[in-house]
Amino acid sequence: MPYALRSPAAFVALLAGFVLGLVVHVAAQRVAVRPRLRTAAPGARRRLALRRALSGAVDPFGAIAAALGGTGWARRPGLGPRRRRGWQRDDLVLLAGPAANLAVAAAALLLYRAAGGDPRVASVASLPDLLHGQAPGLSLLPLALLLVGVQNLAMGLLALVPMPPLDGGQLLFAHAPRSAGWQRAEYYLAEHNWGVAVLLVLLLLPIAGEAPLLLVLLDLVGGPLLAVLTRA
């Protein structure tokens, strides 16, 4: 996001999109963990439970990635031993966060079009450009909706990358063989934070003066989605 400091409006929109992305990501996981929370608990207890969950939404390394690279990730959910809970519920929890981010992205980008945003934005600005605040000339409301949508689109897709501590990484190792090699890989990538180091390098280091590799890969999927949603 430092790239976006040249445009205060873009910086604020990207920051707001990241904070919103954290909230909906963790809230969706919380509801998936305890689906009865919405109806079974009294109002005060329900709000307190959600507040406690959301207060732990920020992952320090995910915040650093967002601050320096344009997008990041939420704190991973503590699921405990899978045999105690069942893999179907755990998979639902891990997928709920990215799904919520993608739903917010779709809503924001459709509102962008409804607010009169340029439908050609995906042809003149890539996902890395937009995450770095390099948006085409837009009025304030369409700009805010576009960047909130792009931030959540990037967060949702990034969360599915199969690398700890991301949700996709937890899914990968949850279903991987329990061989010594896989267990050793999980130990170093998850417990020793090698996965975090790999993600930060791929998000921060540009390739031959271009965008970082991970943002380029996210753009391969996110770019067509952005084009479809902004032309709807």
Side-chain angles (χ1 to χ4, degrees):
M1 277 186 243
Y3 302 93
L5 287 173
R6 290 168 293 186
S7 171
F11 175 80
V12 171
L14 287 168
L15 179 60
F18 181 66
V19 173
L20 176 61
L22 292 179
V23 170
V24 299
H25 190 104
V26 174
Q29 289 178 332
R30 178 71 174 180
V31 171
V33 169
R34 294 184 181 176
R36 292 183 299 171
L37 182 66
R38 292 168 292 177
T39 55
R45 266 177 42 212
R46 181 170 64 248
R47 288 192 296 271
L48 178 60
L50 286 174
R51 193 177 302 120
R52 286 175 177 171
L54 298 178
S55 65
V58 179
D59 180 284
F61 294 111
I64 290 172
L68 300 179
T71 191
W73 57 87
R75 187 183 297 275
R76 62 183 180 181
L79 297 177
R82 292 175 68 84
R83 285 174 296 192
R84 186 186 308 167
R85 295 171 42 80
W87 64 266
Q88 296 95 338
R89 174 64 63 81
D90 285 357
D91 288 356
L92 176 62
V93 172
L94 291 171
L95 291 172
N101 288 131
L102 294 176
V104 169
L109 293 173
L110 291 173
L111 287 173
Y112 162 80
R113 282 296 297 123
D118 188 347
R120 301 167 299 171
V121 64
S123 63
V124 298
S126 66
L127 202 67
D129 291 337
L130 294 170
L131 288 171
H132 290 164
Q134 300 173 24
L138 294 168
S139 57
L140 185 58
L141 180 59
L143 176 67
L145 291 169
L146 173 65
L147 294 184
V148 167
V150 165
Q151 180 66 266
N152 275 271
L153 178 61
M155 290 179 71
L157 295 175
L158 177 63
L160 296 174
V161 172
M163 176 69 70
L166 303 178
D167 298 321
Q170 294 187 74
L171 277 170
L172 171 66
F173 283 102
H175 294 281
R178 303 311 297 167
S179 64
W182 277 99
Q183 291 185 45
R184 188 159 48 248
E186 183 179 15
Y187 175 72
Y188 284 107
L189 289 172
E191 302 302 326
H192 280 238
N193 287 327
W194 286 18
V196 169
V198 170
L199 290 170
L200 289 176
V201 168
L202 294 180
L203 271 173
L204 300 181
L205 291 185
I207 304 172
E210 300 298 327
L213 177 60
L214 191 48
L215 291 183
V216 171
L217 294 177
L218 293 180
D219 189 45
L220 291 177
V221 179
L225 291 174
L226 178 65
V228 169
L229 291 169
T230 52
R231 290 173 184 161

